[in-house]
Amino acid sequence: MVNPSLLILAGDGIGPEVMTEVKKVIAWMGDKRGITFDVSEDLVGGCAYDQHGTPLHDDTMAKAQSVDAVLLGAVGGPKYDNLDFSVKPERGLLRLRKEMDLFSNLRPAQCFDALADFSSLKKDVVAGLDIMIVRELTSGVYFGEPRGIFTEGNERVGINTQRYTESEIARVARSAFELARKRGNKVCSMEKANVMESGILWREVVQEVHDKEYPDVELSHMYADNGAMQLVRRPKQFDVIVTDNLFGDLLSDAAAMLTGSLGMLPSASLGAPMANGRPKALYEPVHGSAPDIAGQGKANPIACVLSFAMALRYSFDLGDEAARLEQAVEKVLADGLRTADLMGPEGGTPISTSAMGDAIVAALDASL
Ligand code: NAD
């Protein structure tokens, strides 16, 4: 048996700090569960620019294409703010997403009981919340042509084009239905079919894919503006939400904040299956490089740890081990351990990034 391969791109700022804690979990999986990964590491973002003059070297891109999954920390920082647009740290990340054709972006919004007080919503609205937003990531209005700022008569006009092909809609719909089958078996598709032709096509194609391939999954449709309202009114009515790039950008940020800190939010971006059946995949925390706290041992590593849990589940079919890791995180929080970002108004003593990683590993030990 060949070990599954993992490319770690820790990046800039707190990226390497939170990734150090994930590496403890990866080592634990090898030592205690006999699940060994072939791990390689490389540079992305500002640190890659410092070394190579580009935020993503071609060799790194080639490695990312050849491994089973990529785990990324974060990129960027004030040092790179004035670089030319083409070599900004974020371009490295965008190149990865584009060349790996990662069209399906999974953003879970899960509320750990111990943190239910952190939400801006009432505790009973969010306690136990577990929803997944699937956002189309490689098409739609952020990519459609024509785009630009043009002159019309004596004034300027800004143009972006919302454009979706049937196959682009069908593949992200499939990804949502597949996910739903592993969860609560419900998909709600969101668009604006009432005012947008692309929304009409979206609704038709999602329905067709459902009827032909996933009739066992419960499907509903909702206008995205109502979806936004329902997300803050009664979020637990949803299981999987599938939506386009623009609406997904907004809805996933709103849903994420139902659960509290940025330091808790993982994500996965998946593409088409490779020859071995595993999808092209990039896992990363939602947060950035947090230059304001970088190098101080204050960063919360949980978002990155939970991103690795998503890798276990979606790339390596190790759902039980993913659940074990999620439960370890839940236990640490229930025990009252908190990094600084999770300190409530009542205060307390925060623990460091590495103490949080150690506590998660200890909780994993206790799970055996
Ligand atoms: P950010 O996510 O880095 O930070 C926003 C706030 O949240 C900061 O106060 C930060 O301290 C806090 N925070 C973020 N992650 C945390 C964690 N794990 N633990 C505790 N606190 C945490 O966003 P920003 O400040 O807007 O951007 C900083 C840099 O990161 C910029 O260069 C930006 O371009 C980049 N960025 C990168 C990504 C990415 O790599 N995917 C995403 C967003 C921003």
Side-chain angles (χ1 to χ4, degrees):
M1 277 274 288
V2 190
N3 292 332
S5 56
L6 205 53
L7 172 63
I8 291 184
L9 302 173
D12 307 316
I14 62 168
E17 297 171 47
V18 294
M19 201 58 86
T20 299
E21 306 315 308
V22 177
K23 286 189 223 165
K24 291 177 185 170
V25 173
I26 294 173
W28 185 90
M29 286 287 166
D31 291 347
K32 303 287 171 73
R33 304 295 300 152
I35 300 164
T36 308
F37 294 92
D38 280 341
V39 179
S40 53
E41 294 194 50
D42 213 325
L43 304 174
V44 68
C47 58
Y49 176 80
D50 289 339
Q51 181 96 2
H52 303 298
T54 166
L56 189 74
H57 194 278
D58 288 345
D59 292 349
T60 317
M61 187 66 240
K63 262 190 232 171
Q65 293 283 22
S66 69
V67 292
D68 291 318
V70 179
L71 196 57
L72 189 135
V75 297
K79 181 178 165 194
Y80 308 104
D81 280 352
N82 296 323
L83 287 182
D84 184 72
F85 187 70
S86 63
V87 288
K88 274 195 184 293
E90 291 75 7
R91 302 306 297 174
L93 182 49
L94 291 176
R95 181 174 174 201
L96 280 166
R97 288 181 184 153
K98 184 162 186 283
E99 293 193 18
M100 292 169 75
D101 198 12
L102 303 172
F103 58 83
S104 177
N105 181 223
L106 277 48
R107 296 259 305 254
Q110 194 175 5
C111 187
F112 290 95
D113 281 349
L115 298 182
D117 284 328
F118 256 77
S119 173
S120 48
L121 298 188
K122 290 193 199 95
K123 190 171 177 168
D124 62 307
V125 176
V126 291
L129 177 75
D130 180 9
I131 61 181
M132 177 74 79
I133 303 218
V134 178
R135 165 188 171 194
E136 200 291 323
L137 199 59
T138 51
S139 185
V141 74
Y142 293 162
F143 295 91
E145 298 283 347
R147 61 183 299 163
I149 299 174
F150 306 95
T151 302
E152 253 180 37
N154 56 2
E155 63 171 354
R156 291 179 304 158
V157 52
I159 295 181
N160 290 93
T161 302
Q162 167 84 337
R163 181 180 189 279
Y164 271 108
T165 64
E166 289 182 286
S167 54
E168 285 169 343
I169 301 168
R171 66 183 186 171
V172 74
R174 279 189 195 103
S175 145
F177 289 127
E178 291 288 341
L179 265 173
R181 277 184 176 163
K182 293 185 184 161
R183 300 171 39 98
N185 215 34
K186 273 198 326 190
V187 170
C188 180
S189 169
M190 295 189 186
E191 28 53 22
K192 290 277 289 172
N194 49 344
V195 286
M196 296 169 76
E197 285 75 9
S198 59
I200 296 175
L201 185 70
W202 182 281
R203 187 175 283 223
E204 284 176 7
V205 174
V206 170
Q207 188 69 50
E208 280 163 22
V209 170
H210 169 268
D211 296 352
K212 274 198 206 121
E213 301 170 43
Y214 301 92
D216 53 303
V217 180
E218 189 182 321
L219 171 66
S220 59
H221 302 274
M222 198 178 267
Y223 298 137
D225 48 345
N226 183 27
M229 221 153 55
Q230 295 299 329
L231 264 178
V232 288
R233 193 176 77 97
R234 213 162 49 81
K236 284 189 252 178
Q237 69 185 283
F238 299 112
D239 175 28
V240 174
I241 292 172
V242 63
T243 189
D244 74 14
N245 203 342
L246 174 64
F247 297 138
D249 197 0
L250 308 182
L251 294 171
S252 64
D253 268 21
M257 276 302 107
L258 301 176
T259 69
S261 168
L262 206 47
M264 294 292 300
L265 300 169
S267 79
S269 301
L270 307 180
M274 299 183 280
N276 62 10
R278 294 182 173 129
K280 290 251 178 206
L282 173 87
Y283 299 89
E284 56 178 323
V286 167
H287 63 71
S289 58
D292 54 332
I293 56 165
Q296 301 171 35
K298 287 185 182 166
N300 183 352
I302 292 178
C304 204
V305 167
L306 292 177
S307 300
F308 177 61
M310 291 186 84
L312 292 172
R313 180 171 286 122
Y314 297 119
S315 280
F316 304 117
D317 240 341
L318 293 167
D320 290 350
E321 299 302 329
R324 180 194 296 281
L325 182 50
E326 287 157 357
Q327 281 154 18
V329 168
E330 187 146 27
K331 175 174 186 311
V332 167
L333 296 171
D335 288 347
L337 298 174
R338 305 272 190 274
T339 42
D341 56 307
L342 301 178
M343 286 286 135
E346 69 279 4
T349 311
I351 63 170
S352 68
T353 309
S354 73
M356 180 55 91
D358 292 343
I360 293 169
V361 169
L364 284 170
D365 270 333
S367 76
L368 293 177

